[in-house]
Amino acid sequence: MSLPGTVPHDGVVAELADILDRLHVVALPMRVRFRGITTREVALIEGPAGWGEFGAFVEYEPPEAAHWLASGIAAAYRPLPAVQRARIPINATVPAVAADDVAGVLARFPGARTAKVKVAEPGQSLADDVARVNAVRAVVPTVRVDANGGWTVDEAVAAAHALTADGPLEYLEQPCRTVAELAEVRRRVDVPVAADESIRKADDPLQVVRAGAADIAVLKVAPLGGVQAMLDIAAQIDIPIVVSSALDTAVGIGAGLVAAGCLPRLDHACGLGTGSLFVDDVAAPALPVDGHLPAAAVTPDPARIAALAAPPDRRQWWIERVQACFPLLS
């Protein structure tokens, strides 16, 4: 039984008042529009065990956002597990920019040998996607694409053919919304299919694997409830895993890198280089070395937190959001 104002989760007992006392809300300006936003707001928790991040996207309702809060609380109040590898290969992330802008984006990912390219952007065409992917291929040898569930099955099949006309794809990430659609696409194309939203947004994150609907599982620490929660899910998955970010600050990226470092096997580059999408971050940017980042937690810079502090009304919004999500953790 939990005490009033406390919720036990994953071995962590935290008091709501203590969490709110430790809360820092920041707003990070972005270099390009990504997921429809140009400023990324998150709440950071300065805990006794380290720093946690609560950054559920603002449109997420409390039942979904509560998983992200659980992740932030776990990182702030519980030591992270020890890693098995010191460096993590990362992919470059290319938003839905014009083909002419691709080289500038890739320049912010020195040494990356893999790139994830956003496709199926509302208002854009398949021809735009093909041009962008081919511009990436001219610079980076391995290309994967992410549709964020933006296609129907027939559109995904057509896109797979068009996007592989000039070269291979490592995989199609979340081409359609549902598990059944992913399974159908997987039957109809030769390109491997990766699942993201079908794992992190599902009541049962293992359903997509049981259904044989994916070749690769994309796991993200925050929406799955924290590093240990993600590792517990990973232990039940028998297909390759890619650890990715959820447009995290340096704090969240550090948690993702630690999670990737704890996996017994890591066959693919991870989507943990998205810090380069920010104009400024809560810690000095960690520049990739030979396309790798260190598997280590990050402590933010107090001066940066102060400089990036969100306005008072936005801070209050995040406080109320924590208050709404907190009772759902039990």
Side-chain angles (χ1 to χ4, degrees):
M1 179 178 295
S2 59
L3 300 174
T6 70
V7 172
H9 175 78
D10 196 25
V12 176
V13 177
E15 295 183 0
L16 176 59
D18 190 54
I19 293 168
L20 295 179
D21 283 345
R22 297 173 179 275
L23 210 66
H24 303 263
V25 179
V26 294
L28 278 57
M30 302 185 64
R31 298 182 187 276
V32 295
R33 182 177 293 275
F34 194 83
R35 287 193 85 263
I37 61 175
T38 55
T39 300
R40 177 70 164 121
E41 284 187 354
V42 305
L44 300 177
I45 305 169
E46 185 180 4
W51 284 78
E53 179 169 324
F54 173 40
F57 297 112
V58 295
E59 69 270 21
Y60 289 4
E61 295 296 328
E64 182 173 1
H67 296 285
W68 301 59
L69 178 58
S71 177
I73 292 172
Y77 288 84
R78 170 178 168 172
L80 292 169
V83 300
Q84 300 186 33
R85 63 183 60 80
R87 301 194 314 150
I88 306 301
I90 63 162
N91 64 251
T93 299
V94 180
V97 298
D100 289 344
D101 296 329
V102 162
V105 173
L106 291 176
R108 296 195 287 271
F109 298 89
R113 306 290 292 167
T114 301
K116 180 170 82 169
V117 185
K118 289 292 184 178
V119 293
E121 182 81 358
Q124 294 189 7
S125 68
L126 180 56
D128 295 323
D129 294 337
V130 170
R132 186 181 312 113
V133 167
N134 283 339
V136 173
R137 279 197 182 104
V139 182
V140 176
T142 302
V143 180
R144 56 182 68 155
V145 299
D146 182 7
N148 288 116
W151 290 321
T152 65
V153 170
D154 287 342
E155 288 171 340
V157 172
H161 290 302
L163 293 168
T164 56
D166 299 305
L169 289 176
E170 185 181 26
Y171 58 72
L172 295 170
E173 182 174 332
Q174 201 67 43
C176 306
R177 290 186 180 276
T178 70
V179 171
E181 288 173 323
L182 293 187
E184 178 65 18
V185 171
R186 189 168 179 247
R187 285 192 292 268
R188 292 175 57 182
V189 303
D190 293 329
V191 183
V193 171
D196 173 12
E197 286 89 344
S198 290
I199 296 174
R200 64 180 170 89
K201 285 179 169 285
D203 292 333
D204 177 5
L206 299 175
Q207 179 190 4
V208 69
V209 178
R210 295 192 186 104
D215 301 282
I216 293 162
V218 179
L219 302 186
K220 298 180 178 179
V221 166
L224 293 176
V227 171
Q228 190 58 55
M230 193 214 84
L231 293 174
D232 290 344
I233 292 169
Q236 303 174 68
I237 290 176
D238 59 359
I239 59 176
I241 289 169
V242 170
V243 181
S244 192
S245 85
L247 200 56
D248 304 319
T249 74
V251 170
I253 290 289
L257 289 164
V258 169
C262 291
L263 291 173
R265 181 173 177 179
L266 190 64
D267 298 325
H268 299 273
C270 289
L272 296 169
T274 52
S276 66
L277 298 175
F278 299 128
V279 175
D280 202 357
D281 204 340
V282 296
L287 297 178
V289 177
D290 296 329
H292 290 70
L293 285 174
V298 172
T299 300
D301 179 349
R304 288 173 177 261
I305 289 180
L308 294 166
D313 63 320
R314 296 305 302 165
R315 172 179 167 76
Q316 183 59 36
W317 186 89
W318 280 91
I319 287 173
E320 292 172 2
R321 194 181 199 196
V322 171
Q323 292 170 328
C325 293
F326 188 78
L328 304 178
L329 298 184
S330 58

